[in-house]
């Protein structure tokens, strides 16, 4: 059948398409889909032929007698068949409800009409269009079973327009919310508290991110330049010793070994500067991105706890918030469905040329 209480049975039977029960469900689904579509087409044509536009059109094409024939001879049959069809739908619905109760398709016996609300409402003459939902459900399930009921281009077109509608609705909602937030920030005196709360809420995340950034960038660069830095510091210490005239004069007073001691002191000073620099850099190059070293974590923690009760800092934070909202607004205003249309048009033009 075309409804959810039979879905479990159909899924159980999907593995063997040759069973009589599966064929029965398939035939019944197709039968219901066809008669629903035929019924809706007949009702649409009937509504058209009874309209003032039909009177004008048939008078224009000089066939008023054909329209009169329909109203006098065929229209009563349409009314009768509609009443018969409604009776059939009521009986069919009650029968399926009874089967659902026997086989306990639902947890409670009275769940059936609520689950199949569209079928119940479709019995009402003014809500006949809801019958189309059942036909669509049947077609969708047949598509899932591998039967090509709906042409591929129809499905693509329907999916495209569904996305257009959903995108337009969601864009309107998002833009309205963003504009409301901006209006609140512009007019409310509590916007500073909102921004401060926003910053306070993200302090821990900011500290973790800053520590990772320092580890990935500063620590890596220090490690790459470590040899150059230690060498340069060593040379600076050696040059500082050599440029100290008091030490040079004192050492030259020592006969024979004075110059040798001077060179040894310069060498020791250079090595000492290199070792000190190496020891200062090592703590900053340790660790990794997932576990930054303690020095960077301490720096990040102190920076994240900074007091934002500062006019320049408040303006900076406000600017970031406003520009973020504006960027989101601009992105939302981009019509993705228009881009898809342009891409399809370009593809068509390329295929033509």
């Amino acid at each position: 059948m075309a409804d959810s209480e039979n879905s479990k049975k159909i899924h159980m039977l999907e593995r063997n398409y040759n069973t009589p029960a599966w064929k029965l469900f398939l035939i019944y689904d197709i039968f219901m889909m066809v008669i629903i579509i035929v019924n809706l087409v007949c009702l649409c044509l009937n509504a058209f032929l009874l309209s003032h536009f039909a009177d004008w059109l048939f008078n224009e094409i000089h066939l008023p007698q054909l329209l009169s024939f329909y109203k006098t001879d065929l229209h009563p049959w349409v009314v009768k068949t509609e009443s018969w069809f409604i009776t059939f739908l009521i009986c069919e619905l009650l029968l399926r409800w009874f089967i659902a109760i026997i086989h306990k398709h639902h947890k409670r016996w009275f769940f059936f009409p609520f689950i199949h609300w569209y079928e119940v409402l479709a019995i009402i003459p003014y809500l006949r269009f809801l019958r189309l939902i059942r036909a669509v459900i049947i077609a969708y399930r047949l598509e899932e079973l591998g039967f090509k009921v709906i042409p591929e281009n129809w499905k693509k077109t329907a999916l495209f327009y569904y996305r257009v509608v959903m995108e337009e609705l969601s864009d309107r909602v998002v833009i309205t919310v963003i504009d409301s937030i901006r209006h609140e920030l512009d007019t409310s005196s509590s916007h500073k508290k909102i921004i401060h709360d926003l910053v306070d809420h993200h302090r821990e995340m900011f500290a973790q991110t800053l520590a990772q950034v320092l580890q990935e960038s500063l620590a890596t660069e220090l490690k790459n330049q470590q040899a150059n830095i230690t060498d340069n510091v060593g040379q600076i210490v050696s040059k500082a010793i050599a440029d100290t005239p008091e030490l040079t004069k004192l050492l030259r007073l020592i006969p024979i070994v004075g110059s040798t001691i001077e060179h040894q002191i310069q060498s020791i000073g250079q090595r000492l500067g290199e070792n000190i620099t190496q020891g200062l850099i090592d703590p900053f190059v340790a660790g990794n991105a997932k576990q930054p070293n303690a020095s960077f974590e301490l720096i990040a923690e102190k920076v994240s706890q900074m007091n934002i009760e500062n006019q320049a800092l408040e303006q900076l934070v406000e600017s970031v918030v406003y520009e973020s909202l504006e960027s989101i607004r601009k992105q939302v205003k981009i019509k993705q469905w228009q881009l898809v249309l342009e891409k399809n048009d370009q593809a068509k033009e390329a295929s033509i040329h």
Side-chain angles (χ1 to χ4, degrees), residues 140-153:
Y140 177 75
R141 187 162 64 247
L142 291 175
E143 286 282 338
E144 285 189 327
L145 293 175
F147 297 94
K148 299 299 180 181
V149 179
I150 306 173
E152 194 66 27
N153 58 337

Side-chain angles (χ1 to χ4, degrees), residues 250-295:
L250 181 63
L251 292 174
R252 286 179 181 176
L253 292 175
I254 302 175
I256 302 173
V257 296
S259 60
T260 303
I261 294 174
E262 181 181 359
H263 289 300
Q264 288 294 327
I265 291 174
Q266 290 179 0
S267 178
I268 292 171
Q270 181 176 353
R271 190 61 182 168
L272 183 63
E274 291 176 355
N275 290 338
I276 292 173
T277 305
Q278 182 81 21
L280 291 174
I281 293 177
D282 282 343
F284 290 95
V285 299
N288 53 61
K290 293 183 179 180
Q291 291 183 336
N293 64 68
S295 300

Side-chain angles (χ1 to χ4, degrees), residues 217-229 281 285:
S217 57
L218 182 57
T220 302
E221 192 60 28
L222 282 174
K223 192 172 185 179
N224 294 335
Q225 299 296 327
Q226 189 172 8
N228 293 333
I229 294 173
I281 293 177
V285 299

Side-chain angles (χ1 to χ4, degrees), residues 58-321:
F58 278 84
N59 285 327
E60 288 293 321
I61 61 177
H62 305 291
L63 291 174
Q65 66 280 5
L66 185 61
L67 185 61
S68 299
F69 171 75
Y70 172 79
K71 290 181 178 180
T72 55
D73 295 344
L74 298 181
H75 174 65
W77 281 102
V78 174
V79 175
K80 286 183 180 180
T81 54
E82 173 62 11
S83 62
W84 294 341
F85 189 69
I86 290 176
T87 304
F88 167 74
L89 290 178
I90 294 173
C91 294
E92 188 256 356
L93 186 67
L94 293 175
L95 177 61
R96 286 174 30 237
W97 190 0
F98 179 71
I99 294 174
I101 294 173
I102 293 177
H103 293 282
K104 297 181 179 180
H105 292 156
H106 308 293
K107 292 185 177 180
R108 297 290 185 273
W109 66 271
F110 54 84
F111 281 9
F112 183 90
F114 295 99
I115 294 174
H116 301 274
W117 58 270
Y118 54 91
E119 295 184 42
V120 177
L121 294 178
I123 296 173
I124 303 173
Y126 291 104
L127 299 176
R128 297 186 187 103
F129 64 91
L130 293 176
R131 299 171 190 173
L132 187 61
I133 297 178
R134 185 174 180 185
V136 171
I137 292 174
I138 296 172
Y140 177 75
R141 187 162 64 247
L142 291 175
E143 286 282 338
E144 285 189 327
L145 293 175
F147 297 94
K148 299 299 180 181
V149 179
I150 306 173
E152 194 66 27
N153 58 337
W154 287 18
K155 289 193 291 185
K156 290 181 178 179
T157 303
L159 181 61
F160 171 76
Y161 284 107
Y162 169 77
R163 289 175 176 172
V164 169
V165 173
M166 296 306 297
E167 183 180 351
E168 290 295 331
L169 290 175
S170 60
D171 287 356
R172 284 291 94 201
V173 172
V174 173
I175 290 176
T176 301
V177 171
I178 292 175
D179 290 342
S180 299
I181 294 174
R182 292 197 59 175
H183 178 73
E184 183 70 19
L185 293 176
D186 291 334
T187 58
S188 174
S189 59
S190 61
H191 72 280
K192 290 186 179 180
K193 183 179 181 303
I194 296 174
I195 294 176
H196 285 207
D197 291 342
L198 183 65
V199 173
D200 291 338
H201 181 69
H202 291 86
R203 285 185 188 275
E204 183 178 353
M205 184 183 297
F206 176 74
Q208 294 175 354
T209 304
L210 180 59
Q212 291 179 1
V213 171
L214 290 173
Q215 184 69 47
E216 292 175 353
S217 57
L218 182 57
T220 302
E221 192 60 28
L222 282 174
K223 192 172 185 179
N224 294 335
Q225 299 296 327
Q226 189 172 8
N228 293 333
I229 294 173
T230 55
D231 184 58
N232 290 336
V233 172
Q235 292 179 9
I236 291 172
V237 173
S238 178
K239 188 174 183 300
I241 294 174
D243 292 342
T244 305
E246 295 81 5
L247 180 61
T248 303
K249 290 179 181 179
L250 181 63
L251 292 174
R252 286 179 181 176
L253 292 175
I254 302 175
I256 302 173
V257 296
S259 60
T260 303
I261 294 174
E262 181 181 359
H263 289 300
Q264 288 294 327
I265 291 174
Q266 290 179 0
S267 178
I268 292 171
Q270 181 176 353
R271 190 61 182 168
L272 183 63
E274 291 176 355
N275 290 338
I276 292 173
T277 305
Q278 182 81 21
L280 291 174
I281 293 177
D282 282 343
F284 290 95
V285 299
N288 53 61
K290 293 183 179 180
Q291 291 183 336
N293 64 68
S295 300
F296 290 149
E297 287 184 339
L298 179 61
I299 293 172
E301 179 67 22
K302 295 300 181 182
V303 172
S304 67
Q305 296 301 324
M306 63 183 176
N307 184 12
I308 63 173
E309 293 290 345
N310 177 282
Q311 185 176 1
L313 192 57
E314 285 181 350
Q315 290 177 352
L316 174 62
V317 176
E318 288 181 8
S319 177
V320 171
V321 172

Side-chain angles (χ1 to χ4, degrees), residues 324-341:
S324 299
L325 292 175
E326 184 62 26
S327 298
I328 296 173
R329 195 177 192 279
K330 288 180 180 179
Q331 182 63 34
V332 170
K333 289 183 69 176
I334 297 175
K335 306 297 183 183
Q336 297 296 329
W337 60 269
Q338 290 182 350
L339 299 179
V340 173
L341 279 181

